[in-house]
Each structure stands twice: as structure tokens, then as C-alpha cells.
């Protein structure tokens, strides 16, 4: 996905005023730290209770949370770099962009896998334990990463084959099109994204309607699973907005050139930050088992903090 184009928000000729730049950076840093802090609490809860890391559903969720934390951290770093350093070494920028792209492309694939797990749990409950094993779940996560790497690393190989060595020692404004400049890469990206988009959305719609049909004649768990799929679909929709972001931003740049950086900022928040804030809601709040242990963890933290204050 076009993560880097969505997450860097300043092009030099549209540079913000100092006050506006500081405000935007503070907002992004606060949002990034908040999301990662909440996700760290979810990971701590996951790691402390065997009930979670022996369940394929929570393993996939844990992978999504770790993936989101990496993605948020990198895009916030790229955001800050775009306002402060402006230009960095191509090799460093390339590394940051590649990892950001891996984690961004992992998200919809992971959501599709979680939706399929919900479908198996609701529609084929007697075979769930047989189909969704720990080993297969870990293999599935490996397949997600392999798919993302095959999609993204081809950009690097094309660039290595077509650019002189001096290019990788030069300084650039760190966005994807600057480190992977060949037009063929954009065409390849559009085709790959279209394929991903079709496969993932077919999976989401198939799973949703299967669960919807089951929920009409089944128990409350099926209805809850249906609602979870809706949230996954909304999260996926926000993630997929990355596909359309470059085209929309080009239109915005032509129509509202004076407000271009504000449009880029809004695009970054909607496409990169907002989808990563939904995961804690789905499992940290809605899931009764996870909520129980997470609440216990938070209460323990509050009690410990109060006891420390008393001693002081």
C-alpha cells in the first residue's frame, strides 16, 4: 500500500508556518504514543495469560497489534522527519519506507484472516479446533509476511537494477516515489493493490453474509461475530483508503493549493492513525474475556501507582 505517500505530509513548496507545523507534530506524536501505550497494555495482557496465546484468534489479534505498533512508530518518525530534517540518505529512507509498507500491507491481509477465523468459529464450530491450530496460525502469519515482502521487495529490486550506486548515497525528501522513482513500479503497485483489494473484499463479504445467515437462526455469539465482521470491514475500508489517497491528493492539490498540507495532514490521520485505533476497541473493549483481564491489569496499575504515592 502507498503508506509513505500518505504518511509524509510536507512538500517543501507547501511548507507550513512554524506554529502550524509544531501543532501538527504534537498532535501526531500524542496520537502515536497513545495508540502504542494502549496496544502495549493489550500485549502485556496477552502475554500474561495462557488462555490468549493458546487461542488462534488472539494470536492473530496480537500479530495485528504488534504490526500496528511498528507501523504507527515508523509513520510518526517519517512525519517528524518531513518537518525537521526534510532530506535524509536514500538508503535510510528506503529502509524506513520498506518496513512501513510491509506493515501497512499486512493489515488488510491479517483482517481477512481474522474474519475467516470468525466464520469457522461460528459456521463450522465442530471443526474449529481441528482447522484453526496454533501451528497453522503461525504458518498463516508467516504467509502474510511473505506475501507482503514479495509485493514490496520487487520495488527495491527494480530500483537496484535501474538506479546508479550514487543514488543510494544521495539525499532525498523521504517519500515512496522519491526512493522508488521508476514508472513501472507505480503500474506494478496499482495491479498488485487491485488484486489484494478484490481478494480481501470478497473474503470479507463472503464471511459477513455467511455469518449473517447463521446469526438469524443461531445464538448470540453468531450475532456478536457478525458485528465484529462489520468493525473489521470498517477498519479495512479505512486501510484500503490508502489506495485512493494519491489520486485524491492530486485533485486536492489542484483545487486547493493553499491548503494542501492540511489535506495531507487529514489524509495521514484518517488513513494511517484512525484504522490503528480500532483494534483496541474490537478486542480490548468488546471482547468479554480480554476486557476482564485488561481491566484487572489496569486496576492493578492504578493500585500500584496509588501505593507508591502513599509511600512518597
Amino acid at each position: 500500500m502507498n503508506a509513505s505517500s500518505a504518511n509524509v505530509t510536507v512538500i517543501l513548496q507547501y511548507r507550513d508556518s512554524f506554529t502550524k507545523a509544531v501543532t501538527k507534530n504534537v498532535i501526531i506524536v500524542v496520537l502515536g504514543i497513545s495508540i502504542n501505550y494502549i496496544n502495549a497494555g493489550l500485549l502485556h495482557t496477552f502475554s500474561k495469560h495462557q488462555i490468549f496465546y493458546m487461542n488462534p484468534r488472539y494470536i492473530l489479534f496480537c500479530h495485528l497489534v504488534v504490526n500496528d505498533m511498528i507501523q504507527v512508530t515508523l509513520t510518526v518518525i517519517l512525519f517528524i522527519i518531513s518537518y525537521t530534517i526534510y532530506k535524509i540518505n536514500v538508503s535510510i529512507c528506503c529502509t524506513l519506507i520498506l518496513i512501513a509498507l510491509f506493515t501497512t500491507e499486512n493489515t488488510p491481509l491479517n483482517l481477512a484472516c481474522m474474519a475467516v477465523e470468525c466464520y469457522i468459529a461460528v459456521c463450522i464450530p465442530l471443526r474449529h479446533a481441528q482447522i484453526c491450530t496454533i501451528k497453522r496460525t503461525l504458518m498463516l502469519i508467516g504467509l502474510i509476511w511473505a506475501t507482503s515482502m514479495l509485493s514490496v521487495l520487487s520495488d527495491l529490486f527494480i530500483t537496484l537494477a535501474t538506479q546508479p550506486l550514487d543514488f543510494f548515497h544521495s539525499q532525498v525528501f523521504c517519500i515512496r516515489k522519491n526512493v522508488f522513482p521508476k514508472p513501472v513500479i507505480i503500474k506494478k503497485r496499482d495491479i498488485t493493490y487491485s488484486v489484494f483489494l478484490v481478494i480481501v473484499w470478497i473474503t470479507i463479504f463472503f464471511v459477513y453474509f455467511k455469518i449473517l445467515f447463521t446469526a438469524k437462526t443461531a445464538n448470540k455469539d453468531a450475532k456478536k461475530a457478525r458485528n465484529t465482521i462489520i468493525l473489521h470491514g470498517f477498519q479495512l475500508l479505512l486501510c484500503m483508503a490508502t489506495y485512493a489517497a494519491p489520486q485524491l491528493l492530486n485533485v486536492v492539490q489542484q483545487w486547493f493549493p493553499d491548503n494542501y498540507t492540511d489535506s495531507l495532514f487529514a489524509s495521514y490521520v484518517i488513513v494511517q492513525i484512525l484504522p490503528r485505533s480500532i483494534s483496541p476497541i474490537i478486542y480490548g473493549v468488546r471482547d468479554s474475556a480480554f476486557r476482564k483481564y485488561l481491566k484487572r491489569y489496569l486496576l492493578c496499575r492504578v493500585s500500584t501507582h496509588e501505593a507508591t504515592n502513599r509511600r512518597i
Side-chain angles (χ1 to χ4, degrees), residues 253-293:
Q253 183 180 3
Q254 294 175 3
W255 288 359
F256 309 103
D258 294 337
N259 299 317
Y260 184 56
T261 56
D262 295 333
S263 301
L264 285 167
F265 176 75
S267 172
Y268 171 81
V269 173
I270 293 171
V271 175
Q272 299 295 339
I273 297 294
L274 190 56
R276 275 81 204 174
S277 65
I278 296 177
S279 296
I281 296 174
I282 296 177
Y283 281 95
V285 178
R286 293 185 68 253
D287 187 274
S288 57
F290 214 102
R291 185 172 64 246
K292 179 179 70 174
Y293 288 103

Side-chain angles (χ1 to χ4, degrees), residues 115-126:
V116 171
E117 190 278 332
C118 277
Y119 159 74
I120 296 172
V122 172
C123 300
I124 322 175
L126 298 179

